[in-house]
Amino acid sequence: MMNESIDSLMNEKRRFAPTEEFARNALVDESHYAEAADDRLEFWAKRARELHWHEDFTEVLDWQPPHAKWFQDGKINVAYNCLDRHVEAGNGDRVAFYWEGEPGDKRTITYADMTAEVKRLANVLLSMGVKKGDRVAIYLPMIPEAVASMLACARIGATHTTVFGGFSPQNLRMRIDDADAKVVITCDGFNRKGKVFALKPTVDTALEKPGHNVENVLVVRRGENEIDWNDDLDVWYHDAMADAEPEHVAEGMEAEHPLFILYTSGTTGNPKGILHTSGGYLTQAAYTHKAVFDIHPETDVFWCTADIGWVTGHSYVVYGPMANGTTQVMNEGTFDTPTPHRPWQMIERYGVTVFYTAPTAIRSFMKIGREYPQGSDLSSIRVLGTVGEPINPEAWMWYREVIGAGTAPIVDTWWQTETGAIMISPLPGITELTPGSAERALPGIDIEILNEKGEPVPEGQGGLLTISSPWPAMLRTIWGDDKRYQETYWDKFGDKYFAGDGARIDPEGDIWLLGRVDDVMNVSGHRLSTAEIESSLVGHESTAEAAVVGAADEATGQAVVAFVILKERFAESFSVEEGEALLRKHVASDIGAIARPRQVFIVPDLPKTRSGKIMRRLLRDLAEGREIGDTTTLADASVVKAIQEQMR
Ligand code: PRX
C-alpha cells in the first residue's frame, strides 16, 4: 500500500461499527482491555488457566531480556489440550474437521476420531525411537494426517518443523539438517490443480546425499502415484498405524518445552528457525483465536485457509482452534479447481461462520468475479478475517459487501511467525472498523512506534513498529543461533522487540501498517528474502551479480523483480529472453515456485553508491515504473539509463 493512499484514508476515515446484536452476543467486551491494563501478567495468567495444566504454575513471567520464560514451573501437554480434554468433557462427537480433497472426496473427523488417530501416531513415533526433545520434519499437504502429525509430536514432546510442500529438495534438506530431524513425515503425492503432485520424490532427493540423521520416512498414502521405496528408511503410515497400540497417556511437559521450529526468511540468505515453546504459545494462540474471531465452539464453523507449512496454519488451523474445541473446514488443493465455485460451495455446505484468508486471495476472488460467491448461500458468515499483508480498502469493501453481506465485521490481523499469535487486530464486538487499519494492540500486548533513536514518533508520523513488553507466544530464540536472535530483534532497541515493519498511529489511536522496512519481501502474504533469491541467482553458473527487490503488484501485494549481470562468456550464449526465462526457472527449482521472480532483467550494470552498496531504492523505482529518486549518491549515473534501455 502506498503512503499517499494511507494519507487520504487517514483523513477521510470511514468507520463501521458492529451491529447491536453482534456486540450483545460477543464473547469479549472492553473489560479485557481494562483488565490487561490493570495487571498484564495476571491477565495472561488467567488466560493460561483456561487451559488444562498437568501441574499449575506459580510464576507467570521470568524476563531476562531478550529471553522470556512464561509459566515456567507449570506442566502442560499441548495435544491433551487440543484433543483428550474435549473428549473427556463429553464433546468427542463434535466435528473437528470437515475435510475435502480436491477431487471432491470428503471426510468428517470428530474430536474422538482425531484423538484416537493421534494416540496411535504418537505410539508409531515412539516405536521409531523418537524421544522427547527429538525433532521431526513434516512435509505434508493439507490432509488431516498433517494435523495429526503435528499433534502426535506435541503429545510426546518431539519438536516438529513443518516444511511447506512447495519448497525444493534443497530447502527441505536445509531445514532437516538445521533442525537435525530424526524422522520425516510425508506422503506419496497429493491433488493440486486437477493433477497428482508427487511429494515423496522431493524427500528422496533431499535425503540422497549422506550426512543427515533421518532414520525413518513415514509415508501417508494419498496421491496413489508410483514412488520409489527405500526399505531401510521408508514406512507406510497405514501399515505402522495398523500395528500401533491404540492407547497413549499424555504427560505434562515443562511450559517452556520446545513445541515447534518454523523456518522463515530473514534479511540474509539463510532462513531462520523460529522456536516456539508450549504453555505461553498455546495460551495466546487459544485466547486470540477466541477473542479475535468471537468463537463460540458449540455453534461456530471456522475456516482458516492457510497451509500448515506457514505459521497461520500452526496457530489458527491446529493449535488455537483445536485448543478451543472448534469445528473447522479444511481443503486439499486450490480454490479454482474444479471450478471457482469451490470455496463458496464449501461455505454453504458446512455453514461456515468465520472465514480467515489472505488479501491476495481476496484480490483473486475479486478478479474472477462476484458471480461465483453469489452462486452460493453465504448467509452463515458472521466474521471475516485477513492476515499476511496490508489489505487495500477496495479489497476490504469487496470482502465485506460480497462475502460478508455488508455486515460481517472484518478483523485485519497483524502478526508474524515470530510473534506466534495475533498482536494487533480489531475485536469484532467492540471495534469500529476502519478499512486499511489493523486498529489497535490486543489486550495484554504493548506496541510502540519509535524513530531510529528509540523515541516514540508523534501521531500520524511513520516509524518502526516495536513490541515493548514480552508476550506469551513470542519466539524464544532462533534455533541454534541465539546470537542472530539478539542481533535481529533486540540490538536495535534493547528490551523492545523490533518487528521489521513500519507503522503509523493516527490521532484516534488506530495503527496503520506500512510494510517491511528491511530487505524482506511479502509476496502473496509469504515472506521472502531478497538475499536468499540473490544468492540463488548467483548460484547459477551464468550469473555474475544479482540484485532483487520487491515491487508493488496488484495481485500479489509485492512481486519479486531481479536485475542480473551475466558473466561475459555467457552473454553471447543465449538471447536476453532465454536468459531471463532460464533464471526464473532456476530460482523456482532452487527455492520453490513461490520465489520465482515475476521478472528478471538482464542488465549491463547495477546502480551502486561510491562505497559499492547496491541502491535498491532506485531499482524499486525502476521496477515499479516510477520517476527515479535522488541519484546524487550514485557512483556512475549512466548506469540507470543503461538499465532503463534494457527494460524497454
Ligand atoms: O510485514 C508484516 C506482514 O507479514 C509479516 C510477517 O510475515 P510472516 O512471518 O510470514 O507471517 C505472516 C502471517 C502472520 C509482517 O512483518 N503482515 C502480516 N499481517 C499483516 C501484515 N502486514 C499488514 N497487515 C497485516 N494484517
Side-chain angles (χ1 to χ4, degrees):
M1 197 189 296
M2 304 282 159
N3 287 358
E4 297 81 40
S5 70
I6 284 199
D7 275 335
S8 60
L9 282 168
M10 279 175 60
N11 292 336
E12 41 154 294
K13 265 191 52 173
R14 279 181 292 177
R15 293 221 168 244
F16 298 90
T19 63
E20 233 167 71
E21 192 201 345
F22 194 103
R24 201 172 40 246
N25 296 324
L27 277 181
V28 175
D29 59 25
E30 286 283 349
S31 67
H32 277 217
Y33 291 108
E35 204 188 305
D38 183 45
D39 189 341
R40 210 174 75 86
L41 294 187
E42 185 48 34
F43 171 82
W44 283 120
K46 243 180 163 172
R47 307 285 87 81
R49 290 198 174 99
E50 289 165 12
L51 300 171
H52 173 88
W53 290 81
H54 275 68
E55 281 174 36
D56 193 17
F57 52 89
T58 60
E59 188 186 12
V60 179
L61 172 67
D62 173 25
W63 177 224
Q64 315 285 336
H67 295 110
K69 292 183 178 147
W70 283 85
F71 318 119
Q72 65 166 318
D73 60 346
K75 289 214 166 136
I76 190 165
N77 188 294
V78 168
Y80 178 88
N81 272 281
C82 295
L83 299 165
D84 315 46
R85 186 165 65 120
H86 307 311
V87 178
E88 287 164 18
N91 294 322
D93 290 341
R94 185 181 296 163
V95 173
F97 287 99
Y98 292 110
W99 177 85
E100 284 196 14
E102 202 186 66
D105 48 334
K106 299 178 180 65
R107 287 167 70 183
T108 299
I109 298 160
T110 64
Y111 273 92
D113 296 336
M114 192 54 107
T115 305
E117 180 93 359
V118 169
K119 284 181 176 178
R120 269 185 195 270
L121 186 52
N123 287 328
V124 169
L125 293 175
L126 289 170
S127 73
M128 289 177 162
V130 177
K131 294 185 299 296
K132 181 177 174 188
D134 285 346
R135 270 81 54 208
V136 171
I138 300 175
Y139 188 60
L140 281 172
M142 290 302 279
I143 54 177
E145 288 80 359
V147 177
S149 298
M150 291 163 74
L151 290 170
C153 289
R155 191 171 187 93
I156 62 170
T159 303
H160 59 72
T161 183
T162 69
V163 182
F164 176 60
F167 277 131
S168 66
Q170 293 92 307
N171 251 312
L172 173 62
R173 176 62 185 265
M174 179 257 129
R175 286 156 169 80
I176 288 172
D177 284 347
D178 190 77
D180 192 21
K182 197 166 184 178
V183 165
V184 179
I185 310 180
T186 189
C187 68
D188 49 0
F190 65 103
N191 301 285
R192 196 182 142 77
K193 290 189 188 282
K195 295 199 190 90
V196 174
F197 184 99
L199 211 52
K200 167 86 164 36
T202 307
V203 180
D204 295 343
T205 311
L207 297 180
E208 231 163 45
K209 280 205 200 102
H212 61 78
N213 292 317
V214 173
E215 291 170 15
N216 280 118
V217 177
L218 190 59
V219 188
V220 179
R221 182 180 279 158
R222 169 62 192 156
E224 305 201 351
N225 45 316
E226 287 275 322
I227 49 172
D228 290 340
W229 200 255
N230 176 347
D231 282 328
D232 294 336
L233 280 181
D234 302 341
V235 179
W236 280 113
Y237 182 98
H238 55 266
D239 286 344
M241 289 291 273
D243 292 343
E245 285 292 322
E247 246 333 299
H248 178 273
V249 178
E251 281 170 31
M253 309 278 159
E254 299 72 26
E256 285 296 335
H257 185 69
L259 179 63
F260 66 86
I261 303 165
L262 186 58
Y263 289 85
T264 188
S265 296
T267 50
T268 66
N270 269 345
K272 308 175 276 200
I274 303 300
L275 178 70
H276 283 286
T277 59
S278 304
Y281 169 79
L282 194 65
T283 296
Q284 196 181 332
Y287 171 66
T288 52
H289 175 250
K290 220 185 304 181
V292 169
F293 301 106
D294 190 45
I295 296 294
H296 299 68
E298 308 74 30
T299 49
D300 274 316
V301 178
F302 180 68
W303 190 6
C304 165
T305 66
D307 191 282
I308 52 118
W310 311 111
V311 74
T312 309
H314 286 60
S315 303
Y316 300 104
V317 175
V318 183
Y319 293 113
M322 295 193 75
N324 293 330
T326 314
T327 296
Q328 296 187 79
V329 170
M330 181 175 178
N331 73 291
E332 176 196 46
T334 59
F335 274 165
D336 52 3
T337 312
T339 74
H341 284 292
R342 186 176 186 214
W344 320 117
Q345 289 172 340
M346 286 178 67
I347 288 177
E348 176 176 330
R349 186 149 46 244
Y350 302 112
V352 171
T353 57
V354 184
F355 186 64
Y356 187 32
T357 196
T360 221
I362 299 166
R363 288 192 297 267
S364 78
F365 297 144
M366 282 171 77
K367 207 162 128 196
I368 302 169
R370 61 176 67 201
E371 57 273 26
Y372 289 98
Q374 283 173 345
S376 295
D377 176 5
L378 306 182
S379 59
S380 54
I381 297 252
R382 37 176 226 102
V383 180
L384 295 170
T386 78
V387 60
E389 53 178 314
I391 178 164
N392 46 311
E394 195 194 346
W396 197 103
M397 290 307 300
W398 187 93
Y399 198 27
R400 168 123 166 153
E401 294 302 325
V402 180
I403 312 302
T407 52
I410 298 180
V411 288
D412 176 356
T413 64
W414 179 91
W415 59 296
Q416 307 179 300
T417 305
E418 289 88 341
T419 70
I422 299 170
M423 305 292 279
I424 305 175
S425 164
L427 290 178
I430 307 171
T431 316
E432 281 194 13
L433 305 164
T434 311
S437 161
E439 311 285 347
R440 59 198 274 211
L442 287 178
I445 301 298
D446 294 330
I447 297 282
E448 282 182 37
I449 298 170
L450 306 177
N451 65 18
E452 283 287 340
K453 285 192 238 144
E455 304 152 347
V457 296
E459 276 168 8
Q461 267 183 34
L464 304 171
L465 183 68
T466 70
I467 305 166
S468 47
S469 316
W471 63 103
M474 68 191 278
L475 76 165
R476 299 306 197 255
T477 188
I478 292 174
W479 182 255
D481 198 347
D482 197 57
K483 191 161 159 275
R484 190 172 175 197
Y485 168 69
Q486 305 231 13
E487 287 168 0
T488 310
Y489 306 108
W490 303 96
D491 275 3
K492 204 169 175 74
F493 298 121
D495 60 357
K496 292 175 186 172
Y497 169 89
F498 171 49
D501 277 47
R504 287 194 206 179
I505 201 155
D506 71 17
E508 275 142 324
D510 288 342
I511 299 171
W512 300 74
L513 280 315
L514 305 175
R516 303 287 305 193
V517 295
D518 53 13
D519 291 330
V520 170
M521 294 171 289
N522 191 328
V523 178
S524 300
H526 298 313
R527 226 206 262 193
L528 294 171
S529 134
T530 53
E532 197 179 344
I533 299 176
E534 283 166 6
S535 97
S536 167
L537 284 165
V538 297
H540 191 271
E541 55 174 4
S542 68
T543 306
E545 218 182 323
V548 166
V549 296
D553 184 281
E554 230 169 69
T556 58
Q558 281 191 309
V560 179
V561 178
F563 297 84
V564 174
I565 307 176
L566 292 184
K567 287 181 187 152
E568 225 159 87
R569 65 195 156 93
F570 283 91
E572 303 293 304
S573 52
F574 36 67
S575 72
V576 169
E577 291 74 26
E578 280 166 354
E580 293 174 349
L582 183 79
L583 290 171
R584 290 179 68 234
K585 201 164 146 218
H586 167 74
V587 173
S589 69
D590 197 28
I591 300 177
I594 47 165
R596 187 199 318 268
R598 181 185 74 187
Q599 289 155 304
V600 171
F601 294 109
I602 291 178
V603 295
D605 210 344
L606 290 170
K608 288 184 186 155
T609 60
R610 279 168 210 111
S611 61
K613 214 172 155 274
I614 293 175
M615 291 185 70
R616 272 172 223 285
R617 181 177 52 75
L618 287 186
L619 291 176
R620 220 170 293 131
D621 288 344
L622 288 167
E624 292 176 354
R626 250 198 318 272
E627 277 290 292
I628 54 164
D630 181 15
T631 56
T632 47
T633 50
L634 264 184
D636 176 1
S638 68
V639 170
V640 172
K641 243 201 188 91
I643 297 177
Q644 275 169 329
E645 301 267 290
Q646 200 69 43
M647 289 174 75
R648 280 214 184 101

